[in-house]
């Protein structure tokens, strides 16, 4: 999606400048997500890990030591419905996750990482730790800048979530 090609809205100059910045930020968020997936893909290729894709690896990383249902992952806003169900099923088939029916709601399936899943999660965690070290040691980000960035992104997330819930 190239937001820069979107038609220019008719806004006062001050608002138009903000709109250009907003569209640049949206495009950057999208590029960063794709780039993160490419970084994971490259790491897996380097380590000859061929059975898991980057989205599935992030799913394992985000689940961590928790036991969750697909519904919980969707409600937390991490994943879309059909994608999470497909990826969880695939990860169970590949031996990265255990699954069992919930004792409370037999329709619900709970999943947790196997030892194989934990090993892959640890690979991703080490990669992220290496990135964090590189970002700080090269002076690209410091803790205060990262806190400000995270705070701003959370505010945008909250605004977008409110738009979905309250504006039709």
């Amino acid at each position: 999606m190239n937001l820069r090609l979107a038609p220019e809205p008719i806004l006062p100059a001050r608002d138009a400048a903000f709109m250009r910045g907003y569209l640049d930020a949206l495009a950057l968020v999208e590029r960063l997500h794709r780039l993160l997936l490419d970084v994971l893909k490259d790491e897996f290729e380097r380590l000859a890990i061929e059975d898991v894709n980057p989205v599935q690896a992030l799913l394992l990383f985000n689940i961590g030591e928790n036991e969750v249902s697909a519904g919980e992952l969707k409600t937390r806003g991490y994943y879309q419905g059909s994608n999470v169900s497909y990826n969880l099923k695939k990860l169970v088939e590949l031996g990265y996750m255990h699954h069992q029916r919930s004792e409370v709601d037999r329709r619900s399936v709970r999943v947790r990482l196997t030892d194989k899943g934990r090993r892959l999660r640890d690979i991703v965690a080490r990669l992220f730790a290496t990135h964090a070290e590189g970002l700080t040691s090269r002076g690209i980000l410091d803790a205060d800048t990262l806190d400000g960035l995270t705070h701003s992104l959370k505010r945008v997330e909250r605004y977008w979530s409110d738009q979905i819930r309250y504006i039709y």
Side-chain angles (χ1 to χ4, degrees):
M1 178 162 101
N2 187 344
L3 299 174
R4 302 274 308 159
L5 298 179
E8 287 288 325
I10 301 172
L11 297 170
R14 174 189 46 132
D15 294 336
F18 181 85
M19 185 66 179
R20 279 191 301 278
Y22 178 61
L23 294 177
D24 285 346
L26 291 177
L28 181 58
V29 166
E30 183 183 13
R31 282 194 315 271
L32 285 171
H33 176 68
R34 281 196 313 266
L35 192 55
L36 174 61
L37 296 177
D38 286 344
V39 165
L40 288 167
K41 180 179 174 280
D42 287 349
E43 180 71 1
F44 293 165
E45 287 174 0
R46 188 180 69 73
L47 298 172
I49 298 170
E50 299 173 349
D51 57 345
V52 174
N53 68 43
V55 170
Q56 292 164 342
L58 284 175
L59 187 59
L60 293 171
F61 179 79
N62 287 324
I63 290 172
E65 290 300 318
N66 299 309
E67 182 175 295
V68 297
S69 70
E72 288 169 333
L73 291 169
K74 288 184 278 190
T75 32
R76 290 181 193 170
Y78 294 137
Y79 303 96
Q80 304 224 345
S82 60
N83 288 345
V84 73
S85 297
Y86 168 81
N87 284 314
L88 289 176
K89 180 180 176 193
K90 194 75 173 158
L91 290 166
V92 167
E93 289 171 5
L94 293 168
Y96 288 95
M97 300 186 95
H98 290 294
H99 77 289
Q100 69 182 55
R101 294 258 170 232
S102 169
E103 296 296 323
V104 177
D105 180 357
R106 301 300 294 166
R107 296 168 297 170
S108 177
V109 174
R110 310 279 304 163
V111 294
R112 62 183 159 73
L113 302 188
T114 62
D115 288 339
K116 183 179 179 182
R118 280 191 212 83
R119 286 192 299 274
L120 188 68
R121 182 211 50 217
D122 291 346
I123 289 169
V124 175
R126 282 192 298 275
L127 179 65
F128 290 168
T130 300
H131 291 168
E133 173 61 31
L135 288 167
T136 57
S137 68
R138 293 181 185 174
I140 296 168
L141 279 178
D142 62 25
D144 290 338
T145 304
L146 186 59
D147 285 346
L149 174 63
T150 302
H151 178 75
S152 294
L153 289 172
K154 283 180 179 178
R155 291 180 69 187
V156 171
E157 177 188 35
R158 191 173 324 121
Y159 175 78
W160 285 350
S161 294
D162 289 349
Q163 296 304 299
I164 293 167
R165 286 188 194 107
Y166 305 117
I167 308 277
Y168 300 106

